Each structure stands twice: as structure tokens, then as C-alpha cells.
Amino acid sequence: MSPLPENTLIGMCNPLLDIQTTVEKAFLDKWGLKENDAILCDDKHNDMFTELTRDFSVEYIPGGAAQNSLRVAQWILNSPNRTVFFGAVGKDQYGELLASKAKEAGVNVQYQINETVKTGTCAALINGTHRSLCAHLAAANTFTQDHLQKEENQKIIEQAKFFYVTGFFITVCPPAILQLASHSAEFNKTFTLNLSAPFISQFFFDKLSEILPFVDVLFGNEDEASAFAKANGWETTCVKEVAVKAAALPKKTTKPRLVVFTQGPDPVIVVEGDKVTEYPVTRLNKEEIVDTNGAGDAFVGGFLSQFIQGKGIEASVSCGCYAAQEIIKKHGCTVPSVCKYH
């Protein structure tokens, strides 16, 4: 058993049930989707969900970015309830399925349950080695800050030493994010954020900018880094330069900001203060790649599983890469029964 206390890491994001299937590029084009992207669906996509469940053989897989990361972290820690999850679901079968899958993985799920709106879903459309995500947030979009004010959740927040919030949640409830972020800064804890998707930097940059001064560890991939650079008005798309600039943005606490940018099979870029390190990634053979849905979430889960134990950055990156590779070899963000990392 790990010596970590219970509720060490809190994750907050949109709990979604992934409706996953393999599609041709023509299907993506028909619904105006890009091959490697994550977007919020609008009304025009309602019929797409109908078509998917009617005409395709689909798998229902528990999703939601931070919830995926926590499930992976728990799998590696192999000690239940070291992590806690906040997010909103409906009072329905999908919500119950998400809760049971997360609890089975060892995550302490503290959902806000909406009696009238259904649990959110996400179309996870696999095309070759690409994955396109189209999320219908539904109940996930109704999360309110008062859920964090509940006495039992206040206790959990006080116990926690690390916080992980996804950029996706910025579209839902910025005040809840700022509450955890300022608590973290005040008590010298560690607050981590994921850029999550290009559209967050493109359309929610003001809110993102309010949160950034509190961020101790910033995660993202190369596409998100590039959108973040553009939103900041930086003239560069070089991932390394963007990481250095992101690390140097104003900060509320004296702890230097750590920036961790993944680039698929290319090296992971890590900037600590002004020190840049590149960590090479072991490439998988094409036949080992089943689908890349959840690879980024798994990387963060692996990284945080070591980082919250006070292991160094190298160990954290190495475990992140291990977790991402295991996830890529399986459908959706599902882990093998045995973790060989130890």
C-alpha cells in the first residue's frame, strides 16, 4: 500500500460517458469534425448521436478527461481513494455506470447529481491513429460551486495536497476552479491545469488567463500549445518556446511553474523555471496502436501518480509515458488488469 493519505489529489472536470466507434473520414467531414480534435457539440450534432447509436456498433466507455486521469493514477497507485473526483452527472443509468466504473478503479467519486438533466456523453470517433471527440455536456454543464461548499467536500479539500482541473471545465464553472486554485495558493499546495483543447485558448482565453497565475503545473499537447501561443499573441509555434514563455507568465506564488507539453510520439518538453528538458518517447509499432483516445489523459494520470508521491520530474514523465502506451494498446481509456510499472 502506498504511504499517501486518502484524498491526496482532487480532480475536477466533466464526467462523460464515451460513445466510441470507428468511422471513415467521410463521416467526420459530414458532421464538420476534424480528425484530431475535441469540441463541444452544438444542435447540429444531435442527429449525429442518433445515427451513431443506430447505424454503428458502439462501445460505452467511462470518459471525461480528469476522471480518466484519476482512474489511471489509481491503477498505478494500487491503493483506493488516494484521489477524489468532483463533477456533475444526471440521476440516470449512465451516471450510475460512471460512478461504479470510477469507484471500481479506486476513485472517491463525489458527484453533484442533477435530478432533471441527463448525464453527459462524448462521441469518441476513431479514424486510424486519430481520435475526434465531440462532447454533449448535458448534466456536466450544470455543476455549481455550492457543491464544493458542502461540509463533507470542504473536509476533502482541506485534506488534499494536489489539485488537477482540466481546461474543459472552464466552460462550466470558473468560480469553482478559482476556489480550489486560491485555496491551493493560500496553503502552499500544488494546483495543476490542462489546456485540454485548442478551443479553450481560442474562445475562453479571458477565463483561462484569470486561472493561470495560480497554476503550478501546466499540461498540454502540441496543438493546444500552438493555440495557447496564438491567444497570447506570441509569434511562435515552436513547442519549446511556447513552454518557456508559458512557464514565465505571472504567478501568484513563488514556486516556479512547471510546464509539461506532450507531442504524441515526439519528445515530452518540460520547462521548470527557465530550464528546458526533452524526454524521448518510445515509439509503438503501428500494429500495437489500437486507439489514441485517452492517451493524453493517461499521461497525466501516470505523471501525477508519481508527482504526488514527491518523485522527481523524470520519474513522473517516465510513468506518464508508460501509462499512455498501455492505454493506446486498448480501446478507450481502459487499463490492463495488471500494472507492470512497479
Side-chain angles (χ1 to χ4, degrees), residues 202-235:
Q202 286 159 353
F203 305 115
F204 296 89
F205 189 66
D206 292 353
K207 290 283 180 238
L208 177 59
S209 302
E210 262 180 75
I211 297 160
L212 276 166
F214 295 97
V215 175
D216 298 307
V217 185
L218 182 69
F219 295 103
N221 67 20
E222 70 276 42
D223 297 335
E224 293 149 12
S226 152
F228 182 67
K230 203 169 168 190
N232 274 292
W234 300 337
E235 292 293 305

PDB file of all heavy atoms in Angstrom, residues 202-235:
ATOM      1  N   GLN A 202      -8.799  29.443 -27.669  1.00  0.00           N
ATOM      2  CA  GLN A 202      -9.392  30.296 -28.705  1.00  0.00           C
ATOM      3  C   GLN A 202     -10.591  31.099 -28.188  1.00  0.00           C
ATOM      4  O   GLN A 202     -10.706  32.286 -28.472  1.00  0.00           O
ATOM      5  CB  GLN A 202      -9.844  29.439 -29.901  1.00  0.00           C
ATOM      6  CG  GLN A 202      -8.698  28.932 -30.761  1.00  0.00           C
ATOM      7  CD  GLN A 202      -9.079  27.719 -31.606  1.00  0.00           C
ATOM      8  OE1 GLN A 202     -10.161  27.158 -31.485  1.00  0.00           O
ATOM      9  NE2 GLN A 202      -8.175  27.297 -32.465  1.00  0.00           N
ATOM     10  N   PHE A 203     -11.475  30.442 -27.425  1.00  0.00           N
ATOM     11  CA  PHE A 203     -12.748  31.084 -27.081  1.00  0.00           C
ATOM     12  C   PHE A 203     -12.947  31.400 -25.597  1.00  0.00           C
ATOM     13  O   PHE A 203     -13.889  32.093 -25.234  1.00  0.00           O
ATOM     14  CB  PHE A 203     -13.920  30.222 -27.575  1.00  0.00           C
ATOM     15  CG  PHE A 203     -13.852  29.916 -29.036  1.00  0.00           C
ATOM     16  CD1 PHE A 203     -13.672  28.614 -29.487  1.00  0.00           C
ATOM     17  CD2 PHE A 203     -13.930  30.936 -29.981  1.00  0.00           C
ATOM     18  CE1 PHE A 203     -13.586  28.326 -30.849  1.00  0.00           C
ATOM     19  CE2 PHE A 203     -13.849  30.660 -31.344  1.00  0.00           C
ATOM     20  CZ  PHE A 203     -13.678  29.349 -31.775  1.00  0.00           C
ATOM     21  N   PHE A 204     -12.084  30.854 -24.741  1.00  0.00           N
ATOM     22  CA  PHE A 204     -12.257  31.085 -23.302  1.00  0.00           C
ATOM     23  C   PHE A 204     -10.978  31.631 -22.677  1.00  0.00           C
ATOM     24  O   PHE A 204     -10.674  31.371 -21.523  1.00  0.00           O
ATOM     25  CB  PHE A 204     -12.681  29.774 -22.601  1.00  0.00           C
ATOM     26  CG  PHE A 204     -14.019  29.266 -23.056  1.00  0.00           C
ATOM     27  CD1 PHE A 204     -14.124  28.414 -24.147  1.00  0.00           C
ATOM     28  CD2 PHE A 204     -15.189  29.661 -22.414  1.00  0.00           C
ATOM     29  CE1 PHE A 204     -15.362  27.953 -24.590  1.00  0.00           C
ATOM     30  CE2 PHE A 204     -16.437  29.209 -22.848  1.00  0.00           C
ATOM     31  CZ  PHE A 204     -16.519  28.358 -23.939  1.00  0.00           C
ATOM     32  N   PHE A 205     -10.239  32.419 -23.479  1.00  0.00           N
ATOM     33  CA  PHE A 205      -8.914  32.858 -23.043  1.00  0.00           C
ATOM     34  C   PHE A 205      -8.964  33.777 -21.812  1.00  0.00           C
ATOM     35  O   PHE A 205      -8.089  33.725 -20.957  1.00  0.00           O
ATOM     36  CB  PHE A 205      -8.164  33.524 -24.199  1.00  0.00           C
ATOM     37  CG  PHE A 205      -6.724  33.798 -23.875  1.00  0.00           C
ATOM     38  CD1 PHE A 205      -5.840  32.746 -23.667  1.00  0.00           C
ATOM     39  CD2 PHE A 205      -6.248  35.102 -23.747  1.00  0.00           C
ATOM     40  CE1 PHE A 205      -4.503  32.976 -23.348  1.00  0.00           C
ATOM     41  CE2 PHE A 205      -4.915  35.339 -23.434  1.00  0.00           C
ATOM     42  CZ  PHE A 205      -4.040  34.279 -23.233  1.00  0.00           C
ATOM     43  N   ASP A 206     -10.012  34.631 -21.734  1.00  0.00           N
ATOM     44  CA  ASP A 206     -10.107  35.551 -20.583  1.00  0.00           C
ATOM     45  C   ASP A 206     -10.194  34.773 -19.280  1.00  0.00           C
ATOM     46  O   ASP A 206      -9.500  35.083 -18.308  1.00  0.00           O
ATOM     47  CB  ASP A 206     -11.341  36.458 -20.709  1.00  0.00           C
ATOM     48  CG  ASP A 206     -11.182  37.443 -21.860  1.00  0.00           C
ATOM     49  OD1 ASP A 206     -10.072  37.486 -22.432  1.00  0.00           O
ATOM     50  OD2 ASP A 206     -12.157  38.148 -22.184  1.00  0.00           O
ATOM     51  N   LYS A 207     -11.051  33.759 -19.275  1.00  0.00           N
ATOM     52  CA  LYS A 207     -11.218  32.943 -18.057  1.00  0.00           C
ATOM     53  C   LYS A 207      -9.942  32.157 -17.758  1.00  0.00           C
ATOM     54  O   LYS A 207      -9.512  32.048 -16.621  1.00  0.00           O
ATOM     55  CB  LYS A 207     -12.390  31.956 -18.232  1.00  0.00           C
ATOM     56  CG  LYS A 207     -13.747  32.633 -18.255  1.00  0.00           C
ATOM     57  CD  LYS A 207     -14.192  33.021 -16.849  1.00  0.00           C
ATOM     58  CE  LYS A 207     -15.554  33.689 -16.850  1.00  0.00           C
ATOM     59  NZ  LYS A 207     -15.535  35.037 -16.256  1.00  0.00           N
ATOM     60  N   LEU A 208      -9.340  31.601 -18.819  1.00  0.00           N
ATOM     61  CA  LEU A 208      -8.094  30.846 -18.673  1.00  0.00           C
ATOM     62  C   LEU A 208      -7.015  31.743 -18.053  1.00  0.00           C
ATOM     63  O   LEU A 208      -6.277  31.328 -17.149  1.00  0.00           O
ATOM     64  CB  LEU A 208      -7.653  30.315 -20.048  1.00  0.00           C
ATOM     65  CG  LEU A 208      -6.331  29.559 -20.153  1.00  0.00           C
ATOM     66  CD1 LEU A 208      -6.329  28.319 -19.258  1.00  0.00           C
ATOM     67  CD2 LEU A 208      -6.053  29.137 -21.599  1.00  0.00           C
ATOM     68  N   SER A 209      -6.959  32.994 -18.525  1.00  0.00           N
ATOM     69  CA  SER A 209      -5.941  33.938 -18.039  1.00  0.00           C
ATOM     70  C   SER A 209      -6.119  34.282 -16.564  1.00  0.00           C
ATOM     71  O   SER A 209      -5.157  34.610 -15.877  1.00  0.00           O
ATOM     72  CB  SER A 209      -5.973  35.221 -18.861  1.00  0.00           C
ATOM     73  OG  SER A 209      -5.749  34.908 -20.208  1.00  0.00           O
ATOM     74  N   GLU A 210      -7.363  34.247 -16.095  1.00  0.00           N
ATOM     75  CA  GLU A 210      -7.627  34.515 -14.666  1.00  0.00           C
ATOM     76  C   GLU A 210      -7.083  33.391 -13.784  1.00  0.00           C
ATOM     77  O   GLU A 210      -6.690  33.607 -12.645  1.00  0.00           O
ATOM     78  CB  GLU A 210      -9.142  34.571 -14.431  1.00  0.00           C
ATOM     79  CG  GLU A 210      -9.739  35.945 -14.397  1.00  0.00           C
ATOM     80  CD  GLU A 210     -11.251  35.833 -14.153  1.00  0.00           C
ATOM     81  OE1 GLU A 210     -11.660  35.560 -13.002  1.00  0.00           O
ATOM     82  OE2 GLU A 210     -12.004  35.994 -15.133  1.00  0.00           O
ATOM     83  N   ILE A 211      -7.099  32.175 -14.334  1.00  0.00           N
ATOM     84  CA  ILE A 211      -6.703  30.991 -13.551  1.00  0.00           C
ATOM     85  C   ILE A 211      -5.185  30.777 -13.588  1.00  0.00           C
ATOM     86  O   ILE A 211      -4.588  30.326 -12.610  1.00  0.00           O
ATOM     87  CB  ILE A 211      -7.449  29.740 -14.097  1.00  0.00           C
ATOM     88  CG1 ILE A 211      -8.962  29.905 -13.916  1.00  0.00           C
ATOM     89  CG2 ILE A 211      -6.978  28.452 -13.419  1.00  0.00           C
ATOM     90  CD1 ILE A 211      -9.808  29.022 -14.808  1.00  0.00           C
ATOM     91  N   LEU A 212      -4.562  31.140 -14.731  1.00  0.00           N
ATOM     92  CA  LEU A 212      -3.137  30.836 -14.939  1.00  0.00           C
ATOM     93  C   LEU A 212      -2.176  31.280 -13.832  1.00  0.00           C
ATOM     94  O   LEU A 212      -1.248  30.549 -13.511  1.00  0.00           O
ATOM     95  CB  LEU A 212      -2.670  31.391 -16.285  1.00  0.00           C
ATOM     96  CG  LEU A 212      -2.974  30.464 -17.460  1.00  0.00           C
ATOM     97  CD1 LEU A 212      -2.801  31.197 -18.773  1.00  0.00           C
ATOM     98  CD2 LEU A 212      -2.074  29.223 -17.430  1.00  0.00           C
ATOM     99  N   PRO A 213      -2.380  32.468 -13.218  1.00  0.00           N
ATOM    100  CA  PRO A 213      -1.429  32.864 -12.164  1.00  0.00           C
ATOM    101  C   PRO A 213      -1.364  31.880 -10.991  1.00  0.00           C
ATOM    102  O   PRO A 213      -0.384  31.869 -10.250  1.00  0.00           O
ATOM    103  CB  PRO A 213      -1.969  34.222 -11.706  1.00  0.00           C
ATOM    104  CG  PRO A 213      -2.727  34.742 -12.883  1.00  0.00           C
ATOM    105  CD  PRO A 213      -3.339  33.541 -13.533  1.00  0.00           C
ATOM    106  N   PHE A 214      -2.401  31.054 -10.832  1.00  0.00           N
ATOM    107  CA  PHE A 214      -2.429  30.083  -9.733  1.00  0.00           C
ATOM    108  C   PHE A 214      -1.809  28.737 -10.121  1.00  0.00           C
ATOM    109  O   PHE A 214      -1.656  27.849  -9.287  1.00  0.00           O
ATOM    110  CB  PHE A 214      -3.883  29.809  -9.300  1.00  0.00           C
ATOM    111  CG  PHE A 214      -4.579  31.003  -8.711  1.00  0.00           C
ATOM    112  CD1 PHE A 214      -5.400  31.801  -9.491  1.00  0.00           C
ATOM    113  CD2 PHE A 214      -4.426  31.316  -7.369  1.00  0.00           C
ATOM    114  CE1 PHE A 214      -6.056  32.903  -8.947  1.00  0.00           C
ATOM    115  CE2 PHE A 214      -5.066  32.403  -6.814  1.00  0.00           C
ATOM    116  CZ  PHE A 214      -5.892  33.209  -7.602  1.00  0.00           C
ATOM    117  N   VAL A 215      -1.523  28.570 -11.437  1.00  0.00           N
ATOM    118  CA  VAL A 215      -1.150  27.238 -11.937  1.00  0.00           C
ATOM    119  C   VAL A 215       0.323  26.917 -11.666  1.00  0.00           C
ATOM    120  O   VAL A 215       1.214  27.617 -12.123  1.00  0.00           O
ATOM    121  CB  VAL A 215      -1.460  27.109 -13.449  1.00  0.00           C
ATOM    122  CG1 VAL A 215      -0.975  25.778 -13.997  1.00  0.00           C
ATOM    123  CG2 VAL A 215      -2.966  27.269 -13.688  1.00  0.00           C
ATOM    124  N   ASP A 216       0.561  25.829 -10.919  1.00  0.00           N
ATOM    125  CA  ASP A 216       1.920  25.377 -10.608  1.00  0.00           C
ATOM    126  C   ASP A 216       2.450  24.419 -11.671  1.00  0.00           C
ATOM    127  O   ASP A 216       3.643  24.373 -11.936  1.00  0.00           O
ATOM    128  CB  ASP A 216       1.939  24.667  -9.244  1.00  0.00           C
ATOM    129  CG  ASP A 216       1.519  25.603  -8.124  1.00  0.00           C
ATOM    130  OD1 ASP A 216       2.102  26.685  -8.014  1.00  0.00           O
ATOM    131  OD2 ASP A 216       0.581  25.255  -7.365  1.00  0.00           O
ATOM    132  N   VAL A 217       1.543  23.605 -12.236  1.00  0.00           N
ATOM    133  CA  VAL A 217       1.938  22.675 -13.306  1.00  0.00           C
ATOM    134  C   VAL A 217       0.917  22.816 -14.433  1.00  0.00           C
ATOM    135  O   VAL A 217      -0.287  22.679 -14.206  1.00  0.00           O
ATOM    136  CB  VAL A 217       1.961  21.198 -12.822  1.00  0.00           C
ATOM    137  CG1 VAL A 217       2.496  20.284 -13.927  1.00  0.00           C
ATOM    138  CG2 VAL A 217       2.795  21.038 -11.558  1.00  0.00           C
ATOM    139  N   LEU A 218       1.406  23.099 -15.646  1.00  0.00           N
ATOM    140  CA  LEU A 218       0.532  23.252 -16.805  1.00  0.00           C
ATOM    141  C   LEU A 218       0.817  22.129 -17.797  1.00  0.00           C
ATOM    142  O   LEU A 218       1.953  21.933 -18.223  1.00  0.00           O
ATOM    143  CB  LEU A 218       0.784  24.604 -17.476  1.00  0.00           C
ATOM    144  CG  LEU A 218      -0.104  24.929 -18.687  1.00  0.00           C
ATOM    145  CD1 LEU A 218      -1.553  25.157 -18.260  1.00  0.00           C
ATOM    146  CD2 LEU A 218       0.417  26.162 -19.436  1.00  0.00           C
ATOM    147  N   PHE A 219      -0.244  21.377 -18.146  1.00  0.00           N
ATOM    148  CA  PHE A 219      -0.124  20.291 -19.122  1.00  0.00           C
ATOM    149  C   PHE A 219      -0.757  20.706 -20.454  1.00  0.00           C
ATOM    150  O   PHE A 219      -1.676  21.521 -20.480  1.00  0.00           O
ATOM    151  CB  PHE A 219      -0.887  19.045 -18.639  1.00  0.00           C
ATOM    152  CG  PHE A 219      -0.341  18.402 -17.399  1.00  0.00           C
ATOM    153  CD1 PHE A 219      -0.961  18.594 -16.164  1.00  0.00           C
ATOM    154  CD2 PHE A 219       0.788  17.579 -17.450  1.00  0.00           C
ATOM    155  CE1 PHE A 219      -0.474  17.980 -15.011  1.00  0.00           C
ATOM    156  CE2 PHE A 219       1.283  16.971 -16.307  1.00  0.00           C
ATOM    157  CZ  PHE A 219       0.645  17.167 -15.080  1.00  0.00           C
ATOM    158  N   GLY A 220      -0.299  20.085 -21.535  1.00  0.00           N
ATOM    159  CA  GLY A 220      -0.941  20.307 -22.824  1.00  0.00           C
ATOM    160  C   GLY A 220      -0.244  19.474 -23.884  1.00  0.00           C
ATOM    161  O   GLY A 220       0.779  18.840 -23.611  1.00  0.00           O
ATOM    162  N   ASN A 221      -0.811  19.463 -25.111  1.00  0.00           N
ATOM    163  CA  ASN A 221      -0.115  18.808 -26.226  1.00  0.00           C
ATOM    164  C   ASN A 221       0.283  19.870 -27.245  1.00  0.00           C
ATOM    165  O   ASN A 221       0.044  21.066 -27.035  1.00  0.00           O
ATOM    166  CB  ASN A 221      -0.964  17.684 -26.839  1.00  0.00           C
ATOM    167  CG  ASN A 221      -2.215  18.214 -27.550  1.00  0.00           C
ATOM    168  OD1 ASN A 221      -2.305  19.384 -27.924  1.00  0.00           O
ATOM    169  ND2 ASN A 221      -3.194  17.348 -27.735  1.00  0.00           N
ATOM    170  N   GLU A 222       0.888  19.449 -28.354  1.00  0.00           N
ATOM    171  CA  GLU A 222       1.444  20.428 -29.290  1.00  0.00           C
ATOM    172  C   GLU A 222       0.382  21.319 -29.929  1.00  0.00           C
ATOM    173  O   GLU A 222       0.596  22.522 -30.125  1.00  0.00           O
ATOM    174  CB  GLU A 222       2.327  19.734 -30.352  1.00  0.00           C
ATOM    175  CG  GLU A 222       1.603  18.863 -31.375  1.00  0.00           C
ATOM    176  CD  GLU A 222       1.309  17.433 -30.915  1.00  0.00           C
ATOM    177  OE1 GLU A 222       0.897  17.229 -29.749  1.00  0.00           O
ATOM    178  OE2 GLU A 222       1.475  16.523 -31.743  1.00  0.00           O
ATOM    179  N   ASP A 223      -0.814  20.772 -30.230  1.00  0.00           N
ATOM    180  CA  ASP A 223      -1.878  21.589 -30.844  1.00  0.00           C
ATOM    181  C   ASP A 223      -2.413  22.616 -29.852  1.00  0.00           C
ATOM    182  O   ASP A 223      -2.711  23.756 -30.209  1.00  0.00           O
ATOM    183  CB  ASP A 223      -3.047  20.703 -31.314  1.00  0.00           C
ATOM    184  CG  ASP A 223      -2.622  19.724 -32.395  1.00  0.00           C
ATOM    185  OD1 ASP A 223      -1.627  20.015 -33.097  1.00  0.00           O
ATOM    186  OD2 ASP A 223      -3.272  18.669 -32.537  1.00  0.00           O
ATOM    187  N   GLU A 224      -2.545  22.177 -28.601  1.00  0.00           N
ATOM    188  CA  GLU A 224      -3.036  23.081 -27.552  1.00  0.00           C
ATOM    189  C   GLU A 224      -2.009  24.173 -27.274  1.00  0.00           C
ATOM    190  O   GLU A 224      -2.369  25.340 -27.068  1.00  0.00           O
ATOM    191  CB  GLU A 224      -3.340  22.281 -26.282  1.00  0.00           C
ATOM    192  CG  GLU A 224      -4.507  21.326 -26.478  1.00  0.00           C
ATOM    193  CD  GLU A 224      -4.446  20.047 -25.655  1.00  0.00           C
ATOM    194  OE1 GLU A 224      -3.604  19.943 -24.732  1.00  0.00           O
ATOM    195  OE2 GLU A 224      -5.252  19.133 -25.950  1.00  0.00           O
ATOM    196  N   ALA A 225      -0.723  23.806 -27.305  1.00  0.00           N
ATOM    197  CA  ALA A 225       0.347  24.782 -27.071  1.00  0.00           C
ATOM    198  C   ALA A 225       0.314  25.860 -28.156  1.00  0.00           C
ATOM    199  O   ALA A 225       0.468  27.059 -27.882  1.00  0.00           O
ATOM    200  CB  ALA A 225       1.706  24.081 -27.064  1.00  0.00           C
ATOM    201  N   SER A 226       0.083  25.418 -29.384  1.00  0.00           N
ATOM    202  CA  SER A 226       0.069  26.350 -30.505  1.00  0.00           C
ATOM    203  C   SER A 226      -1.130  27.313 -30.405  1.00  0.00           C
ATOM    204  O   SER A 226      -0.997  28.518 -30.617  1.00  0.00           O
ATOM    205  CB  SER A 226       0.077  25.518 -31.792  1.00  0.00           C
ATOM    206  OG  SER A 226      -0.544  26.197 -32.816  1.00  0.00           O
ATOM    207  N   ALA A 227      -2.308  26.791 -30.033  1.00  0.00           N
ATOM    208  CA  ALA A 227      -3.493  27.655 -29.858  1.00  0.00           C
ATOM    209  C   ALA A 227      -3.287  28.624 -28.690  1.00  0.00           C
ATOM    210  O   ALA A 227      -3.706  29.792 -28.739  1.00  0.00           O
ATOM    211  CB  ALA A 227      -4.733  26.791 -29.611  1.00  0.00           C
ATOM    212  N   PHE A 228      -2.610  28.149 -27.642  1.00  0.00           N
ATOM    213  CA  PHE A 228      -2.337  28.971 -26.460  1.00  0.00           C
ATOM    214  C   PHE A 228      -1.387  30.118 -26.843  1.00  0.00           C
ATOM    215  O   PHE A 228      -1.576  31.272 -26.443  1.00  0.00           O
ATOM    216  CB  PHE A 228      -1.714  28.092 -25.364  1.00  0.00           C
ATOM    217  CG  PHE A 228      -1.425  28.805 -24.078  1.00  0.00           C
ATOM    218  CD1 PHE A 228      -2.458  29.285 -23.280  1.00  0.00           C
ATOM    219  CD2 PHE A 228      -0.111  28.986 -23.640  1.00  0.00           C
ATOM    220  CE1 PHE A 228      -2.191  29.941 -22.082  1.00  0.00           C
ATOM    221  CE2 PHE A 228       0.170  29.643 -22.447  1.00  0.00           C
ATOM    222  CZ  PHE A 228      -0.871  30.125 -21.661  1.00  0.00           C
ATOM    223  N   ALA A 229      -0.373  29.809 -27.655  1.00  0.00           N
ATOM    224  CA  ALA A 229       0.589  30.828 -28.108  1.00  0.00           C
ATOM    225  C   ALA A 229      -0.137  31.909 -28.909  1.00  0.00           C
ATOM    226  O   ALA A 229       0.059  33.109 -28.696  1.00  0.00           O
ATOM    227  CB  ALA A 229       1.673  30.177 -28.962  1.00  0.00           C
ATOM    228  N   LYS A 230      -1.009  31.463 -29.816  1.00  0.00           N
ATOM    229  CA  LYS A 230      -1.733  32.394 -30.674  1.00  0.00           C
ATOM    230  C   LYS A 230      -2.632  33.309 -29.837  1.00  0.00           C
ATOM    231  O   LYS A 230      -2.688  34.522 -30.057  1.00  0.00           O
ATOM    232  CB  LYS A 230      -2.574  31.585 -31.669  1.00  0.00           C
ATOM    233  CG  LYS A 230      -2.924  32.348 -32.911  1.00  0.00           C
ATOM    234  CD  LYS A 230      -3.518  31.453 -33.980  1.00  0.00           C
ATOM    235  CE  LYS A 230      -4.112  32.327 -35.092  1.00  0.00           C
ATOM    236  NZ  LYS A 230      -4.902  31.537 -36.027  1.00  0.00           N
ATOM    237  N   ALA A 231      -3.311  32.721 -28.846  1.00  0.00           N
ATOM    238  CA  ALA A 231      -4.208  33.501 -27.990  1.00  0.00           C
ATOM    239  C   ALA A 231      -3.429  34.555 -27.189  1.00  0.00           C
ATOM    240  O   ALA A 231      -3.930  35.638 -26.905  1.00  0.00           O
ATOM    241  CB  ALA A 231      -4.966  32.572 -27.045  1.00  0.00           C
ATOM    242  N   ASN A 232      -2.173  34.224 -26.860  1.00  0.00           N
ATOM    243  CA  ASN A 232      -1.322  35.167 -26.125  1.00  0.00           C
ATOM    244  C   ASN A 232      -0.686  36.209 -27.040  1.00  0.00           C
ATOM    245  O   ASN A 232      -0.018  37.125 -26.562  1.00  0.00           O
ATOM    246  CB  ASN A 232      -0.195  34.407 -25.402  1.00  0.00           C
ATOM    247  CG  ASN A 232      -0.634  33.894 -24.041  1.00  0.00           C
ATOM    248  OD1 ASN A 232      -0.867  34.664 -23.126  1.00  0.00           O
ATOM    249  ND2 ASN A 232      -0.740  32.572 -23.918  1.00  0.00           N
ATOM    250  N   GLY A 233      -0.858  36.027 -28.360  1.00  0.00           N
ATOM    251  CA  GLY A 233      -0.245  36.947 -29.318  1.00  0.00           C
ATOM    252  C   GLY A 233       1.246  36.699 -29.493  1.00  0.00           C
ATOM    253  O   GLY A 233       1.991  37.584 -29.916  1.00  0.00           O
ATOM    254  N   TRP A 234       1.699  35.485 -29.176  1.00  0.00           N
ATOM    255  CA  TRP A 234       3.118  35.158 -29.388  1.00  0.00           C
ATOM    256  C   TRP A 234       3.322  34.745 -30.832  1.00  0.00           C
ATOM    257  O   TRP A 234       2.512  34.019 -31.394  1.00  0.00           O
ATOM    258  CB  TRP A 234       3.553  34.019 -28.449  1.00  0.00           C
ATOM    259  CG  TRP A 234       3.397  34.355 -26.994  1.00  0.00           C
ATOM    260  CD1 TRP A 234       3.358  35.599 -26.434  1.00  0.00           C
ATOM    261  CD2 TRP A 234       3.238  33.426 -25.909  1.00  0.00           C
ATOM    262  NE1 TRP A 234       3.184  35.508 -25.073  1.00  0.00           N
ATOM    263  CE2 TRP A 234       3.115  34.190 -24.718  1.00  0.00           C
ATOM    264  CE3 TRP A 234       3.199  32.030 -25.820  1.00  0.00           C
ATOM    265  CZ2 TRP A 234       2.948  33.610 -23.458  1.00  0.00           C
ATOM    266  CZ3 TRP A 234       3.028  31.446 -24.572  1.00  0.00           C
ATOM    267  CH2 TRP A 234       2.906  32.231 -23.405  1.00  0.00           C
ATOM    268  N   GLU A 235       4.454  35.153 -31.389  1.00  0.00           N
ATOM    269  CA  GLU A 235       4.689  34.910 -32.814  1.00  0.00           C
ATOM    270  C   GLU A 235       5.325  33.549 -33.097  1.00  0.00           C
ATOM    271  O   GLU A 235       5.970  33.380 -34.111  1.00  0.00           O
ATOM    272  CB  GLU A 235       5.618  36.007 -33.364  1.00  0.00           C
ATOM    273  CG  GLU A 235       4.979  37.389 -33.393  1.00  0.00           C
ATOM    274  CD  GLU A 235       3.820  37.479 -34.387  1.00  0.00           C
ATOM    275  OE1 GLU A 235       4.054  37.169 -35.564  1.00  0.00           O
ATOM    276  OE2 GLU A 235       2.700  37.822 -33.982  1.00  0.00           O
TER     277      GLU A 235
END
